[in-house]
Amino acid sequence: MKYSTKLSDTIHLLSFLCLGEGKKMTSARIAESVKTNPAYIRQLMSALKKAGLISTVQGQAQAALTRPAEQISMLDIYRAVEGNKPLLHLDIHTNPECGVGVNIQLAAGDFYREVQEAAEKKMQEISLQDIIDRFYERIGTEEIDLATDIEKQA
């Protein structure tokens, strides 16, 4: 079963915009870092723009956050690209004539809702800035040259 990487890719995209603030950030340049195609990046950026998290200028590489990174939660990002899609999914294709098949899904669903609420609460507490700060902790510096970083990957 395939799982979605939209949240991860979107956090990457937003972090890249923050780290490269003031520089031209084309969808091709961001896609190179995410290791995907520019059309997918533009799709994510469209969802972020619709959610009010970034502003863009059509035809120009000038995407920018609409508010500081510390004011954008992981939940904001998740909702922008995944909507209200739950993190866990029930198998609704069980045999309707089997008492276990129907009722075990309903019982599990009660706990899935608890997990969803706990996850959303935690995601609301984590900001994009928290993620960027952790990034800097991991690389051991507070500066990064995105142009050099991308060249190293090529």
Side-chain angles (χ1 to χ4, degrees):
M1 174 164 64
K2 185 159 172 33
Y3 54 90
S4 175
T5 60
K6 281 185 182 180
L7 177 61
S8 177
D9 294 342
T10 306
I11 289 170
H12 186 150
L13 182 166
L14 289 170
S15 298
F16 203 81
L17 290 178
C18 284
L19 296 169
E21 190 174 8
K23 295 184 174 103
K24 286 195 174 228
M25 291 292 164
T26 64
S27 55
R29 186 173 188 191
I30 298 167
E32 202 172 328
S33 180
V34 177
K35 206 165 185 177
T36 189
N37 65 66
Y40 175 64
I41 295 300
R42 287 190 295 273
Q43 178 187 41
L44 295 177
M45 290 176 85
S46 176
L48 290 167
K49 184 176 180 179
K50 186 176 178 183
L53 298 179
I54 65 169
S55 61
T56 59
V57 178
Q58 188 164 351
Q60 296 185 22
Q62 294 181 338
L65 301 181
T66 57
R67 57 187 192 246
E70 59 269 0
Q71 294 178 13
I72 298 174
S73 73
M74 185 185 280
L75 184 59
D76 293 332
I77 300 165
Y78 181 81
R79 290 232 170 101
V81 295
E82 295 285 9
N84 288 321
K85 185 190 292 184
L87 297 170
L88 304 173
H89 306 276
L90 292 172
D91 181 359
I92 58 171
H93 301 292
T94 57
N95 182 347
E97 295 178 22
C98 174
V100 174
V102 172
N103 291 301
I104 200 69
Q105 295 300 320
L106 296 173
D110 294 339
F111 292 104
Y112 281 20
R113 279 186 289 285
E114 288 181 33
V115 170
Q116 183 76 31
E117 288 170 13
E120 287 182 10
K121 182 177 185 275
K122 185 63 178 177
M123 289 170 77
Q124 186 63 42
E125 296 171 3
I126 300 168
S127 72
L128 178 60
Q129 188 62 54
D130 293 330
I131 296 167
I132 292 169
D133 291 347
R134 181 72 54 89
F135 163 77
Y136 282 126
E137 286 174 21
R138 286 179 139 314
I139 65 168
T141 183
E142 291 202 16
E143 290 185 29
I144 184 164
D145 181 351
L146 294 180
T148 303
D149 191 52
I150 289 172
E151 287 171 12
K152 286 180 193 174
Q153 296 171 13

